[in-house]
Amino acid sequence: MGQTKLDANSELNPNLKEVAQGKRRNFRYAFGCAILASMTSILLGYDIGVMSGAAKYIKKDLKLTDVEVEILLGILNLYSLVGSFAAGRTSDWVGRRYTIVFAASIFFVGALLMGFAMNYAFLMFGRLIAGIGVGYALMIAPVYTAEVSPASARGFLTSFPEVFINSGILLGYVSNYAFSHLSYHLSWRFMLGIGAVPSVLLGVLVLFMPESPRWLVLQGRLKDAKLVLSKTSDTLEEAELRLADIKRAAGIPESCDDDVVTVNKNSHGEGVWKELLLRPLPAVRRILLTAVGIHFFQQASGIDSVVLYSPTIFEKAGIHSDNAQLGTTVAVGFTKTMFILIATVFLDRVGRRPLLMASIGGMIVCLASLGLGLTVIGRHGDEKIDWAVALCIASVLFYVAFFSIGLGPITWVYTSEIFPLRLRAQGAAIGVAVNRVTSGVITMTFLSLEKAITIGGSFFLYGGVAVAASVFYYFCLPETRGKTLEETCKLFGLNTDEVQEEGDVQMVKANETGAKVAN
């Protein structure tokens, strides 16, 4: 684009001149937006972390069986399906930002219900409400962050939801340790109820961030979208290119420079399910299968079993003290959080594929060594095998480290990048649904699986799934580093013009009094 056009646009919107002064200011603004949006993921992380320790006290207090404990821990993932599917349509209707506020509000209610639960049925109802909030949060955080981020830092910023999942897990572990000294009928209630606090802070802070520029374009609010893009792009040139790409994907002529245009009813997500599931284009089908596959393998390789049942794993490994188990579990959470921070630095420097392949390779080795250590310990009964205990602890720590540098964050980053604009919110919702169903099945069957094929055999099984995952990643996932969201679709053979909304776009300008006048 020529300099004349840039100057002219700057005169139309004086804020653009200020924003174009420096790349660093824009990055800080996008960074702040990504942080606020991604904080919603702390809700899931906290629930995973806190339930790993609270389950022992809940089982004692409510006199639950192993099957009831399995269901209690894993059912939130199935409940979250309601939230993840509803979030796709909700975010298309009211916007990404208010969907995040809604997610925080629902989880707040769920956390209080769980904290005050007096029996198993009441506790399950609280987990239903909390699960819906988690489903909303998981879907909307990476979508919003990807849509607001410049291409140069999208991998870094879109990995933040996984950072906050890990931070939430660590906070849950710390909460377990802090309240474990209370009586068992009070400890788990404090552990669960305190989760309402971050949701309140989140709901308030999110009101200070802007709406997604891509959602604004779909509503015809081009002036508002232009302002947000000017604040979140590296340069003014990039802001204009991003706006042109989004307008093209939304079916709005690139030459249109009006402040507001009217768009047809499909801007709120109508007809998307038909394009995704009933009559998908071949390229859309490939994108959807890629999203489903990466989410399935993230959970089927056993991460939630390791995180949720880490006290059980360490008990089987020969660590019998409750405090020692919870303390070692805190080390797991700390390791997981530290390595996700390392991953955020390299996502945009190294790329998605190299980190993903290194991650899954390390996980395969760790799962095999963990299965070996637990099998050796199981065959020696009460005899303590020091090297096998050390191998189990090291394997768990390295497993979560390898997961965090690749498979953990890249699953969310990749899914938020590959869908075309019109299909993105609800396409991401399908990925989240697969993620949560798989996680629910894994967590609700772990204790039964351990009894059927031994705990060592369980991790050998997860290792086999990880091998299959490595083959899928190698052949099915192209590199998306440095591509705009509109360009990533072309990697799958999709021309974004094919999924533009049908019908004419009526241009509307605002006159000096603020009234909308059709051309």
Side-chain angles (χ1 to χ4, degrees), residues 214-234:
R214 286 171 170 81
W215 183 82
L216 291 171
V217 170
L218 285 179
Q219 310 314 304
R221 295 164 56 183
L222 301 185
K223 180 179 179 180
D224 293 338
K226 184 185 297 184
L227 182 59
V228 175
L229 286 170
S230 71
K231 292 181 177 180
T232 58
S233 300
D234 290 336

Side-chain angles (χ1 to χ4, degrees), residues 32 63 89 128 138 202 231 234 317 346 355 369 372 385 401 420 443 507:
K63 298 177 174 58
R89 186 62 181 271
L128 167 62
L138 279 177
L202 173 65
K231 292 181 177 180
D234 290 336
F346 289 101
L355 283 179
S369 60
L372 174 64
I385 311 296
T443 53
M507 306 305 170

Side-chain angles (χ1 to χ4, degrees), residues 58-77:
I58 296 172
K59 183 178 181 180
K60 291 179 182 178
D61 189 24
L62 302 182
K63 298 177 174 58
L64 305 181
T65 65
D66 283 345
V67 172
E68 288 174 322
V69 171
E70 283 181 324
I71 294 173
L72 180 66
L73 266 60
I75 199 67
L76 181 134
N77 297 299

Side-chain angles (χ1 to χ4, degrees), residues 174-189:
V174 171
S175 176
N176 287 337
Y177 192 80
F179 294 114
S180 63
H181 302 290
L182 299 176
S183 61
Y184 62 80
H185 63 276
L186 283 178
S187 58
W188 66 267
R189 291 184 170 87

Side-chain angles (χ1 to χ4, degrees), residues 211-272:
E211 184 51 81
S212 158
R214 286 171 170 81
W215 183 82
L216 291 171
V217 170
L218 285 179
Q219 310 314 304
R221 295 164 56 183
L222 301 185
K223 180 179 179 180
D224 293 338
K226 184 185 297 184
L227 182 59
V228 175
L229 286 170
S230 71
K231 292 181 177 180
T232 58
S233 300
D234 290 336
T235 64
L236 183 55
E237 291 91 341
E238 183 190 354
E240 290 202 347
L241 288 171
R242 289 173 70 188
L243 180 60
D245 283 343
I246 297 168
K247 286 195 293 187
R248 189 184 311 114
I252 298 174
E254 292 182 51
S255 59
C256 173
D257 200 30
D258 298 331
D259 291 340
V260 180
V261 300
T262 57
V263 293
N264 63 33
K265 65 180 182 178
N266 285 347
S267 62
H268 294 305
E270 291 84 353
V272 169

